């Protein structure tokens, strides 16, 4: 915990806000705007209301299993496993997960984990269904990042990216990440009866040649500087500021 009294005060304010959001006491809808400032979707947090949403849980199973080779844990997930995941999202005070809606239906999820007083780690981005166009996820990510930076008083984000994931690496570059890894770890493929996991330690014979798990950091100022000239970003930034300072009373 920071010794800075202001940081400490804001941290406890942020925790109270986060609990209220997850309980549904503070309904939150974050607009997703495109480069023309037009609303193309909305982000809504996963809350206690989703715990018994069997259709959503079943949707998550399909999403996860459809793209499991993109995860470190590539084993199929079950309905019970997804239910435990959603329970952790709701009850864990160090994480926040958003559903991205297009035309009233959820098509993706994203969020933040290991949230601390000034820094968090980005959660895995999952696009489960089509919709919104090729740039929808870019603008959904920006909306979520702006919201978390402001609402939780964050100064930086950590992202762990496989070196072979070119889309994720390019996304980090675009958003202003420092592309010299904080940590670069070798990857080992561990085989299980129901699938593989990619680990950062293991038998040398299981090492995946030429692949590393790289950890990058994005500073808040670098993010806003990198995005400042992008058409539509200013309108999105203003809209989220208005929501937080007006409807939710968050200090920015």
């Amino acid at each position: 915990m920071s010794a800075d009294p202001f940081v400490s005060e804001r941290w406890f304010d942020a925790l109270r806000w986060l609990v209220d959001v997850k309980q549904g006491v503070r309904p939150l809808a974050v607009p997703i705007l495109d480069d023309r400032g037009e609303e193309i979707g909305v982000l809504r947090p996963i809350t206690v209301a989703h715990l018994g949403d069997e259709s959503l849980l079943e949707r998550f199973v399909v999403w996860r299993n459809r793209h499991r080779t993109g995860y470190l844990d590539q084993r199929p997930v079950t309905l019970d496993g997804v239910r435990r995941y959603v329970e952790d999202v709701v009850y864990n005070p160090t994480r926040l997960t958003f559903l991205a809606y297009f035309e009233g239906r959820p098509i993706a999820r994203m969020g933040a984990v290991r949230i601390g007083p000034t820094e968090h780690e980005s959660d895995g981005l999952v696009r489960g269904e089509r919709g919104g166009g090729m740039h929808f996820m870019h603008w959904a990510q920006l909306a979520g990042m702006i919201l978390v930076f402001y609402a939780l008083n964050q100064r930086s984000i950590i992202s762990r990216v496989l070196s072979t994931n070119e889309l994720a690496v390019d996304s980090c570059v675009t958003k202003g990440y420092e592309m010299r890894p904080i940590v670069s770890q070798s990857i080992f493929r561990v085989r299980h009866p129901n699938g593989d996991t990619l680990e950062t330690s293991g038998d040398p014979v299981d090492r995946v040649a030429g692949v590393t798990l790289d950890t990058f950091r994005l500073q808040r100022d670098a993010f806003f500087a990198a995005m400042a000239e992008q058409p539509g970003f200013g309108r999105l930034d203003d809209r989220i500021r208005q929501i937080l300072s007006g409807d939710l009373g968050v200090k920015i």
Side-chain angles (χ1 to χ4, degrees):
M1 185 65 67
S2 172
D4 183 334
F6 176 74
V7 170
S8 298
E9 178 187 353
R10 283 288 287 111
W11 170 238
F12 291 117
D13 287 344
L15 285 178
R16 283 186 283 267
W17 177 86
L18 190 55
V19 169
D20 285 350
V21 166
K22 290 186 180 187
Q23 285 185 309
V25 175
R26 291 180 181 269
L28 177 62
V30 184
I32 303 170
L33 308 183
D34 63 13
D35 58 353
R36 297 169 295 180
E38 297 180 358
E39 188 166 323
I40 56 175
V42 64
L43 292 180
R44 297 183 185 276
I46 290 180
T47 70
V48 292
H50 295 103
L51 291 174
D53 189 339
E54 293 295 317
S55 64
L56 180 66
L57 299 181
E58 291 169 358
R59 192 186 298 256
F60 280 178
V61 171
V62 173
W63 290 2
R64 179 66 167 75
N65 288 334
R66 183 184 295 153
H67 302 291
R68 67 177 184 268
T69 57
Y71 291 85
L72 294 178
D73 188 340
Q74 300 178 352
R75 294 170 294 185
V77 300
T78 63
L79 189 62
D80 284 341
V82 167
R83 183 175 288 108
R84 289 192 296 271
Y85 159 78
V86 173
E87 288 174 351
D88 188 58
V89 167
V90 172
Y91 297 129
N92 188 334
T94 69
R95 72 184 306 169
L96 173 64
T97 300
F98 293 103
L99 292 171
Y101 287 81
F102 172 70
E103 294 184 341
R105 60 187 174 91
I107 65 170
R109 74 169 190 255
M110 64 201 69
V113 297
R114 300 181 181 88
I115 300 170
T118 61
E119 183 175 82
H120 66 275
E121 183 177 325
S122 61
D123 200 0
L125 173 68
V126 181
R127 177 157 190 165
E129 300 172 22
R130 296 186 180 188
M134 64 186 305
H135 299 300
F136 179 86
M137 292 306 298
H138 170 71
W139 288 104
Q141 278 187 286
L142 293 186
M145 292 169 74
I146 294 170
L147 186 284
V148 172
F149 269 128
Y150 288 151
L152 302 180
N153 193 40
Q154 298 288 279
R155 294 178 180 171
S156 56
I157 302 173
I158 293 292
S159 290
R160 299 192 301 156
V161 180
L162 283 172
S163 58
T164 51
N165 190 338
E166 295 181 359
L167 287 177
V169 172
D170 289 345
S171 177
C172 286
V173 172
T174 300
K175 293 178 175 64
Y177 278 79
E178 168 55 53
M179 297 310 293
R180 178 179 296 176
I182 302 168
V183 179
S184 186
Q185 299 167 283
S186 297
I187 289 295
F188 300 83
R189 184 177 296 277
V190 180
R191 303 191 183 278
H192 305 270
N194 60 339
D196 297 348
T197 59
L198 301 181
E199 312 281 353
T200 54
S201 63
D203 193 310
V205 300
D206 296 325
R207 182 174 178 179
V208 183
V211 180
T212 55
L213 181 66
D214 298 326
T215 302
F216 303 112
R217 175 175 279 121
L218 173 62
Q219 300 290 348
R220 172 174 171 158
D221 290 347
F223 168 71
F224 284 99
M227 295 292 102
E229 301 303 318
Q230 183 165 354
F233 182 80
R235 287 188 288 271
L236 178 61
D237 183 46
D238 288 343
R239 185 80 174 273
I240 293 173
R241 280 176 174 267
Q242 291 170 4
I243 290 171
L244 289 175
S245 62
D247 296 343
L248 299 180
V250 172
K251 302 173 186 176
I252 298 176

